[in-house]
Amino acid sequence: MATATLPLRLLASKTLGRPSAPSLLPASRCSLSVASSAPRRWRLLASAEEAAPAPVEAEAVAETEEEVVEVEAAVPEPVEAQLAAAGAGKDAGIFAVVMIGSRQYIVMPGRYIYTQRLKGANVDDQIILNKVLLVSTRDKAYIGMPVVTNAAVHAVVEEQGRDDKVIVFKYKKKKKYQRKLGHRQPNTRLRITGISGYEDYPADPILEYVPA
């Protein structure tokens, strides 16, 4: 058992009423032996208690891994997989550029897009988009001036939803003015089913690249 020797100086107290005995309190320094075994026993017990709940932490990690797997399963298919599935049909290798409102979108059969809210459109409604600016196949390109005549993009409304929330925060320094607002822009999800009506429009051939 380890011991530590600490010097101790005893001083006479002025507040005590009874005089201290000179024979019991020598003027020279005396030594006091203190055993430091209690802290070491406490440390050993603490380390033993911390090692016990290790299996509980392993179970918690296993539960989190299962939750992560469930979340990954809910992620939609990547765009490459959707394009590969759409390319297996007769419209393989075809895409178009269509204008909806004031924005332009690249569409392909079998692929879905999010556009600004289409008023009056309900879920499962079939719509036709006539403002087709360009249609491209494997060997030809139909470039509109400004649109491709008689070309149409067929789509089906899948969902009427809203975008993720955007925080609008206003602040004026030294005026005690601040405002925090949230906004979710309405949108429409369209599934492209086909592109037609472009065959009679003048086409430009797509030249193959020949390396030098």
PDB file of all heavy atoms in Angstrom, residues 133-147:
ATOM      1  N   LEU A 133     -38.938  22.979 -78.952  1.00  0.00           N
ATOM      2  CA  LEU A 133     -37.884  23.758 -79.594  1.00  0.00           C
ATOM      3  C   LEU A 133     -36.909  22.897 -80.374  1.00  0.00           C
ATOM      4  O   LEU A 133     -36.307  23.364 -81.347  1.00  0.00           O
ATOM      5  CB  LEU A 133     -37.117  24.565 -78.536  1.00  0.00           C
ATOM      6  CG  LEU A 133     -37.975  25.472 -77.641  1.00  0.00           C
ATOM      7  CD1 LEU A 133     -37.089  26.211 -76.660  1.00  0.00           C
ATOM      8  CD2 LEU A 133     -38.801  26.439 -78.463  1.00  0.00           C
ATOM      9  N   LEU A 134     -36.736  21.651 -79.959  1.00  0.00           N
ATOM     10  CA  LEU A 134     -35.754  20.783 -80.615  1.00  0.00           C
ATOM     11  C   LEU A 134     -36.120  19.339 -80.358  1.00  0.00           C
ATOM     12  O   LEU A 134     -36.591  18.994 -79.273  1.00  0.00           O
ATOM     13  CB  LEU A 134     -34.350  21.089 -80.106  1.00  0.00           C
ATOM     14  CG  LEU A 134     -33.186  20.275 -80.683  1.00  0.00           C
ATOM     15  CD1 LEU A 134     -31.958  21.165 -80.844  1.00  0.00           C
ATOM     16  CD2 LEU A 134     -32.841  19.098 -79.774  1.00  0.00           C
ATOM     17  N   VAL A 135     -35.897  18.515 -81.363  1.00  0.00           N
ATOM     18  CA  VAL A 135     -36.045  17.066 -81.239  1.00  0.00           C
ATOM     19  C   VAL A 135     -34.802  16.429 -81.839  1.00  0.00           C
ATOM     20  O   VAL A 135     -34.378  16.804 -82.953  1.00  0.00           O
ATOM     21  CB  VAL A 135     -37.310  16.549 -81.946  1.00  0.00           C
ATOM     22  CG1 VAL A 135     -37.408  15.036 -81.825  1.00  0.00           C
ATOM     23  CG2 VAL A 135     -38.554  17.204 -81.369  1.00  0.00           C
ATOM     24  N   SER A 136     -34.236  15.466 -81.137  1.00  0.00           N
ATOM     25  CA  SER A 136     -33.013  14.819 -81.600  1.00  0.00           C
ATOM     26  C   SER A 136     -33.170  13.308 -81.485  1.00  0.00           C
ATOM     27  O   SER A 136     -33.656  12.801 -80.465  1.00  0.00           O
ATOM     28  CB  SER A 136     -31.807  15.284 -80.783  1.00  0.00           C
ATOM     29  OG  SER A 136     -30.636  14.615 -81.206  1.00  0.00           O
ATOM     30  N   THR A 137     -32.756  12.606 -82.558  1.00  0.00           N
ATOM     31  CA  THR A 137     -32.728  11.154 -82.578  1.00  0.00           C
ATOM     32  C   THR A 137     -31.278  10.693 -82.685  1.00  0.00           C
ATOM     33  O   THR A 137     -30.349  11.491 -82.522  1.00  0.00           O
ATOM     34  CB  THR A 137     -33.572  10.624 -83.745  1.00  0.00           C
ATOM     35  OG1 THR A 137     -33.039  11.130 -84.981  1.00  0.00           O
ATOM     36  CG2 THR A 137     -35.025  11.090 -83.613  1.00  0.00           C
ATOM     37  N   ARG A 138     -31.115   9.433 -83.019  1.00  0.00           N
ATOM     38  CA  ARG A 138     -29.750   8.920 -83.092  1.00  0.00           C
ATOM     39  C   ARG A 138     -28.974   9.505 -84.272  1.00  0.00           C
ATOM     40  O   ARG A 138     -27.763   9.715 -84.179  1.00  0.00           O
ATOM     41  CB  ARG A 138     -29.782   7.388 -83.210  1.00  0.00           C
ATOM     42  CG  ARG A 138     -30.249   6.692 -81.941  1.00  0.00           C
ATOM     43  CD  ARG A 138     -30.204   5.189 -82.105  1.00  0.00           C
ATOM     44  NE  ARG A 138     -30.658   4.501 -80.906  1.00  0.00           N
ATOM     45  CZ  ARG A 138     -29.891   4.195 -79.872  1.00  0.00           C
ATOM     46  NH1 ARG A 138     -28.610   4.535 -79.897  1.00  0.00           N
ATOM     47  NH2 ARG A 138     -30.382   3.569 -78.833  1.00  0.00           N
ATOM     48  N   ASP A 139     -29.663   9.772 -85.382  1.00  0.00           N
ATOM     49  CA  ASP A 139     -28.957  10.212 -86.586  1.00  0.00           C
ATOM     50  C   ASP A 139     -29.447  11.540 -87.150  1.00  0.00           C
ATOM     51  O   ASP A 139     -28.883  12.038 -88.130  1.00  0.00           O
ATOM     52  CB  ASP A 139     -29.080   9.141 -87.677  1.00  0.00           C
ATOM     53  CG  ASP A 139     -30.526   8.775 -87.949  1.00  0.00           C
ATOM     54  OD1 ASP A 139     -31.400   9.246 -87.194  1.00  0.00           O
ATOM     55  OD2 ASP A 139     -30.777   8.015 -88.905  1.00  0.00           O
ATOM     56  N   LYS A 140     -30.509  12.148 -86.572  1.00  0.00           N
ATOM     57  CA  LYS A 140     -31.046  13.390 -87.101  1.00  0.00           C
ATOM     58  C   LYS A 140     -31.358  14.347 -85.961  1.00  0.00           C
ATOM     59  O   LYS A 140     -31.622  13.929 -84.839  1.00  0.00           O
ATOM     60  CB  LYS A 140     -32.308  13.139 -87.926  1.00  0.00           C
ATOM     61  CG  LYS A 140     -32.078  12.334 -89.186  1.00  0.00           C
ATOM     62  CD  LYS A 140     -33.366  12.161 -89.959  1.00  0.00           C
ATOM     63  CE  LYS A 140     -33.137  11.337 -91.236  1.00  0.00           C
ATOM     64  NZ  LYS A 140     -34.395  11.176 -92.003  1.00  0.00           N
ATOM     65  N   ALA A 141     -31.367  15.633 -86.307  1.00  0.00           N
ATOM     66  CA  ALA A 141     -31.715  16.691 -85.360  1.00  0.00           C
ATOM     67  C   ALA A 141     -32.729  17.613 -86.014  1.00  0.00           C
ATOM     68  O   ALA A 141     -32.486  18.123 -87.126  1.00  0.00           O
ATOM     69  CB  ALA A 141     -30.476  17.471 -84.937  1.00  0.00           C
ATOM     70  N   TYR A 142     -33.848  17.821 -85.337  1.00  0.00           N
ATOM     71  CA  TYR A 142     -34.908  18.690 -85.830  1.00  0.00           C
ATOM     72  C   TYR A 142     -34.881  19.964 -84.987  1.00  0.00           C
ATOM     73  O   TYR A 142     -35.279  19.962 -83.825  1.00  0.00           O
ATOM     74  CB  TYR A 142     -36.272  18.006 -85.719  1.00  0.00           C
ATOM     75  CG  TYR A 142     -36.349  16.681 -86.450  1.00  0.00           C
ATOM     76  CD1 TYR A 142     -35.912  15.509 -85.838  1.00  0.00           C
ATOM     77  CD2 TYR A 142     -36.857  16.612 -87.731  1.00  0.00           C
ATOM     78  CE1 TYR A 142     -35.989  14.306 -86.502  1.00  0.00           C
ATOM     79  CE2 TYR A 142     -36.932  15.397 -88.406  1.00  0.00           C
ATOM     80  CZ  TYR A 142     -36.488  14.246 -87.789  1.00  0.00           C
ATOM     81  OH  TYR A 142     -36.570  13.054 -88.449  1.00  0.00           O
ATOM     82  N   ILE A 143     -34.389  21.043 -85.595  1.00  0.00           N
ATOM     83  CA  ILE A 143     -34.190  22.310 -84.883  1.00  0.00           C
ATOM     84  C   ILE A 143     -35.303  23.258 -85.287  1.00  0.00           C
ATOM     85  O   ILE A 143     -35.490  23.557 -86.470  1.00  0.00           O
ATOM     86  CB  ILE A 143     -32.814  22.919 -85.205  1.00  0.00           C
ATOM     87  CG1 ILE A 143     -31.704  21.927 -84.845  1.00  0.00           C
ATOM     88  CG2 ILE A 143     -32.619  24.222 -84.449  1.00  0.00           C
ATOM     89  CD1 ILE A 143     -30.325  22.378 -85.264  1.00  0.00           C
ATOM     90  N   GLY A 144     -36.060  23.731 -84.324  1.00  0.00           N
ATOM     91  CA  GLY A 144     -37.184  24.611 -84.600  1.00  0.00           C
ATOM     92  C   GLY A 144     -36.765  26.057 -84.783  1.00  0.00           C
ATOM     93  O   GLY A 144     -35.750  26.512 -84.251  1.00  0.00           O
ATOM     94  N   MET A 145     -37.594  26.793 -85.546  1.00  0.00           N
ATOM     95  CA  MET A 145     -37.340  28.221 -85.790  1.00  0.00           C
ATOM     96  C   MET A 145     -38.630  29.028 -85.605  1.00  0.00           C
ATOM     97  O   MET A 145     -39.270  29.408 -86.584  1.00  0.00           O
ATOM     98  CB  MET A 145     -36.773  28.414 -87.203  1.00  0.00           C
ATOM     99  CG  MET A 145     -35.423  27.792 -87.410  1.00  0.00           C
ATOM    100  SD  MET A 145     -34.774  28.066 -89.081  1.00  0.00           S
ATOM    101  CE  MET A 145     -35.960  27.172 -90.066  1.00  0.00           C
ATOM    102  N   PRO A 146     -39.096  29.289 -84.402  1.00  0.00           N
ATOM    103  CA  PRO A 146     -38.468  28.901 -83.124  1.00  0.00           C
ATOM    104  C   PRO A 146     -38.921  27.545 -82.598  1.00  0.00           C
ATOM    105  O   PRO A 146     -38.321  27.000 -81.678  1.00  0.00           O
ATOM    106  CB  PRO A 146     -38.931  30.018 -82.196  1.00  0.00           C
ATOM    107  CG  PRO A 146     -40.273  30.395 -82.715  1.00  0.00           C
ATOM    108  CD  PRO A 146     -40.224  30.223 -84.208  1.00  0.00           C
ATOM    109  N   VAL A 147     -40.027  26.967 -83.154  1.00  0.00           N
ATOM    110  CA  VAL A 147     -40.526  25.686 -82.666  1.00  0.00           C
ATOM    111  C   VAL A 147     -40.572  24.704 -83.821  1.00  0.00           C
ATOM    112  O   VAL A 147     -40.590  25.089 -85.009  1.00  0.00           O
ATOM    113  CB  VAL A 147     -41.927  25.832 -82.024  1.00  0.00           C
ATOM    114  CG1 VAL A 147     -41.872  26.735 -80.808  1.00  0.00           C
ATOM    115  CG2 VAL A 147     -42.939  26.341 -83.027  1.00  0.00           C
TER     116      VAL A 147
END
